[in-house]
Amino acid sequence: QVQLVESGGGLVQAGGSLRLSCAASATIFNLYAMGWYRQAPGKPRELVARIRSGGSTMYADSVKGRFTISRDNAKNTVYLQMNSLKPEDTGVYSCNVDAALGNYWGQGTQVTVSS
């Protein structure tokens, strides 16, 4: 069973930056993609960014140009660099791993952007 542990959330003022990390407990074989999702209060969870095994990335329109997803295979870790944060970026950010063995979720980390 793969466990994912997120870190890096917190409270930041609008215009600030945060870097989220998601570390997997073990090397994930036959990985399809890793991604970050977020859920704001009263809203459904949405995909923020995703990176496929080959390295291609995709972003939600609302974060393009501000967020960057990357990964370090040696550390089994995926990152989300968030710049120029806006109050509407507030939510619980969760890491997801999609692999042949299954689909895994982290526990989530709170990001709060104050205006």
Side-chain angles (χ1 to χ4, degrees):
Q1 182 74 14
V2 175
Q3 293 183 330
L4 305 177
V5 179
E6 299 112 332
S7 61
L11 173 64
V12 65
Q13 289 187 333
S17 297
L18 284 173
R19 188 193 194 205
L20 305 183
S21 300
C22 172
S25 58
T27 299
I28 301 172
F29 297 98
N30 297 319
L31 174 70
Y32 299 147
M34 303 179 78
W36 287 95
Y37 291 72
R38 70 184 177 193
Q39 186 167 22
K43 295 186 177 180
R45 184 164 58 192
E46 63 174 346
L47 175 64
V48 176
R50 197 166 187 249
I51 183 166
R52 294 189 177 184
S53 57
S56 62
T57 58
M58 65 83 63
Y59 298 91
D61 288 342
S62 60
V63 306
K64 283 181 181 177
R66 300 188 297 121
F67 290 12
T68 302
I69 188 170
S70 62
R71 68 169 189 253
D72 185 331
N73 292 332
K75 296 182 179 180
N76 300 320
T77 300
V78 62
Y79 304 96
L80 184 67
Q81 178 66 44
M82 306 186 293
N83 299 327
S84 302
L85 283 161
K86 304 175 181 180
E88 50 264 43
D89 293 320
T90 294
V92 176
Y93 284 68
S94 300
C95 173
N96 173 265
V97 168
D98 188 19
L101 287 179
N103 193 276
Y104 305 96
W105 290 92
Q107 81 286 355
T109 184
Q110 177 69 43
V111 171
T112 303
V113 184
S114 63
S115 57

